[in-house]
Amino acid sequence: MKKEYKIPKGLAIFTYIACVLMSALSIALLVIPFIDEDMNINIAYFTSPLALGLLTVMIIALIDTKNSRIILTETSLSIKSVLANRTLHSQEIAGYKKDQNYLVVYPKTRLLKKIKISLFYGNIHEIENWITTKVPDLEHQQQRIELKNVLKDSRLGTTKNERKKRLKQAKFASRAFNILGTLGFFGVVFLPLPVSIRLCIFTCLPLFGIGLMLYYRGLIRVMDEEKSSLPNINLGMTMAIFGPLLVVMFSVSIYDFSNMWLPVIALGVLCTLLVARATKELQFTSWKRGFSSLFISLFFMAYSYTFLCVLNCIFDTSRPKSYQAKVMDKWKSSGKTTSYNIKTSNWGPEGFDRSIDISKKYYEQVSVNDSIILTLKQGFLHIPWFYVENDNR
């Protein structure tokens, strides 16, 4: 038996048309700077490399669409294309993984390369059936191994039934935290309470999430891994971190960041190490895991900034100092949200002018050349911050 599978005719025609149109655009970008007398010829230094790169990609895509194919025999799977020409025999295949766009076949040894098959190939179900009947699903295999390791972990209970019960509790706790974190996001952003009370209540939620991961000894993870047998709190943690961060960005004005960055880094590293200890999922064994681990580290740096701003401002008992400044300009910026800003004349110990985010109500009250009062405080953590008098958020 030998069968070949190509890109379906309809999709191929669409790709040909798109490639021809994009190639025409590339040629136009190459030519126009040299024939249009009103155009600065220096722009060609930017457009020409871009156009050549685009044209190259389109030519490769045209050739690949015409020639690429999957070849099946009784004992082998092959892919022929511009960028890949590989064959794996059934005894060389370790297993496969499937996502929304690709079916990826992995070899047993790193000396061989994996085969990545687009799900847009014609009769993809025949290819998938050949693979699934001959080799295991690696994601399901990983899921079974994870579950087996959990049920063997003596730290989670002395018997198998106790460990199963512990896993069930962890799944319930993770679902509860994801709901709580989501409600926390909307609570800290929209509840009709003073900002200080909202931030005090909801900023501690991520610490509670880290505590859950430590308590359940790795049964609850922070990353959302598809088809994992272990629960995660990715949604709840994301919402619990970015809700307070959003409020802090619009309501807290730091005067001097000099004493901010070292504590932010230290607390961010501490949170990351606690998560790494709890879950052992922060690794750099592959580029994907390395990127995820780096992202989570930055994630907790953002939370550290929020937590320290809240701690520094809400628990600040220092004596306030008032300064008078003139409004030099005012403007609003619209996007997904609308921000209202003013620019002040020089004020404060260092005598700097500043752009300040203010509330909509205060923006409508103040005019250019008005005098305003700004209050400066030293901060609980000695990170100076300020606010505009009469701007009641």
Side-chain angles (χ1 to χ4, degrees):
M1 179 202 81
K2 181 178 180 180
K3 286 190 176 182
E4 291 191 2
Y5 302 87
K6 293 186 176 183
I7 299 294
K9 187 176 290 186
L11 180 59
I13 291 172
F14 173 81
T15 305
Y16 294 150
I17 294 171
C19 288
V20 169
L21 291 175
M22 294 302 291
S23 296
L25 175 62
S26 303
I27 293 170
L29 286 172
L30 278 171
V31 173
I32 287 175
F34 298 99
I35 63 174
D36 189 343
E37 296 180 355
D38 296 328
M39 184 175 290
N40 188 341
I41 192 65
N42 290 328
I43 200 171
Y45 291 113
F46 171 75
T47 59
S48 294
L50 180 66
L52 285 171
L54 182 60
L55 184 60
T56 302
V57 170
M58 291 303 104
I59 292 172
I60 292 173
L62 274 169
I63 298 172
D64 193 59
T65 301
K66 182 178 184 301
N67 296 328
S68 68
R69 64 200 64 203
I70 301 295
I71 302 171
L72 284 184
T73 70
E74 289 287 350
T75 59
S76 67
L77 168 70
S78 302
I79 184 170
K80 308 290 184 183
S81 70
V82 174
L83 301 176
N85 189 359
R86 298 167 189 169
T87 298
L88 286 176
H89 296 280
S90 54
Q91 68 269 22
E92 296 172 332
I93 300 174
Y96 73 94
K97 291 183 181 181
K98 182 182 177 183
D99 60 24
Q100 294 179 341
N101 300 308
Y102 292 98
L103 188 65
V104 186
V105 181
Y106 292 87
K108 291 180 179 178
T109 172
R110 291 186 178 182
L111 297 176
L112 300 173
K113 294 185 178 181
K114 65 186 178 183
I115 293 178
K116 192 173 184 180
I117 304 169
S118 170
L119 296 182
F120 292 111
Y121 271 96
N123 295 322
I124 186 65
H125 63 279
E126 293 184 8
I127 303 173
E128 189 173 349
N129 184 61
W130 185 95
I131 294 169
T132 55
T133 55
K134 292 183 180 293
V135 296
D137 183 334
L138 294 178
E139 289 183 333
H140 286 161
Q141 195 177 66
Q142 180 184 353
Q143 190 176 22
R144 289 194 298 270
I145 292 171
E146 276 184 343
L147 186 58
K148 185 178 178 181
N149 289 336
V150 166
L151 298 180
K152 289 170 58 179
D153 193 342
S154 59
R155 298 177 305 160
L156 304 175
T158 54
T159 67
K160 188 175 181 179
N161 286 335
E162 286 181 356
R163 294 162 198 160
K164 283 184 177 180
K165 185 178 179 180
R166 184 76 164 173
L167 179 59
K168 186 177 180 180
Q169 291 173 348
K171 289 180 177 180
F172 176 81
S174 66
R175 285 195 295 268
F177 183 83
N178 284 330
I179 294 171
L180 184 63
T182 303
L183 292 176
F185 175 88
F186 291 104
V188 75
V189 174
F190 297 112
L191 270 182
L193 294 172
V195 171
S196 57
I197 295 177
R198 282 183 278 152
L199 288 173
C200 274
I201 294 172
F202 295 109
T203 301
C204 292
L205 279 179
L207 294 179
F208 178 61
I210 293 173
L212 272 181
M213 288 185 281
L214 288 168
Y215 178 74
Y216 282 101
R217 298 176 180 270
L219 288 181
I220 297 178
R221 300 192 169 192
V222 71
M223 287 192 281
D224 182 8
E225 292 191 11
E226 190 177 357
K227 297 184 180 180
S228 173
S229 62
L230 300 178
N232 69 81
I233 54 173
N234 182 271
L235 175 63
M237 190 67 82
T238 300
M239 300 295 270
I241 286 177
F242 281 103
L245 177 62
L246 188 65
V247 174
V248 162
M249 287 175 64
F250 283 98
S251 61
V252 176
S253 298
I254 301 297
Y255 182 81
D256 184 357
F257 287 90
S258 301
N259 295 335
M260 171 67 82
W261 302 124
L262 186 58
V264 164
I265 293 171
L267 182 57
V269 169
L270 176 61
C271 289
T272 304
L273 290 175
L274 287 174
V275 171
R277 177 179 175 80
T279 67
K280 295 181 172 58
E281 60 182 318
L282 303 189
Q283 302 173 4
F284 291 87
T285 53
S286 66
W287 70 267
K288 187 176 181 180
R289 277 200 165 273
F291 180 80
S292 297
S293 300
L294 181 61
F295 180 77
I296 288 174
S297 299
L298 296 175
F299 200 60
F300 283 113
M301 292 294 176
Y303 171 66
S304 300
Y305 175 80
T306 303
F307 183 84
L308 291 172
C309 280
V310 172
L311 188 65
N312 182 69
C313 299
I314 291 178
F315 296 96
D316 184 8
T317 58
S318 65
R319 180 176 297 177
K321 293 183 179 179
S322 296
Y323 296 87
Q324 185 171 319
K326 183 181 288 188
V327 178
M328 307 301 293
D329 194 9
K330 59 181 284 190
W331 67 93
K332 60 181 178 180
S333 304
S334 297
K336 291 184 178 180
T337 59
T338 301
S339 62
Y340 301 87
N341 305 87
I342 57 173
K343 183 178 181 180
T344 68
S345 60
N346 296 345
W347 68 276
E350 298 176 7
F352 292 151
D353 60 351
R354 291 177 182 269
S355 295
I356 303 171
D357 182 78
I358 58 175
S359 65
K360 179 181 178 181
K361 184 177 179 181
Y362 192 73
Y363 180 84
E364 293 170 348
Q365 294 174 354
V366 72
S367 301
V368 175
N369 292 324
D370 282 357
S371 291
I372 61 171
I373 302 298
L374 299 115
T375 300
L376 178 66
K377 300 192 74 176
Q378 289 306 306
F380 179 73
L381 300 175
H382 301 289
I383 301 169
W385 64 287
F386 67 93
Y387 57 89
V388 181
E389 288 286 350
N390 302 320
D391 182 12
N392 300 315
R393 292 175 180 264

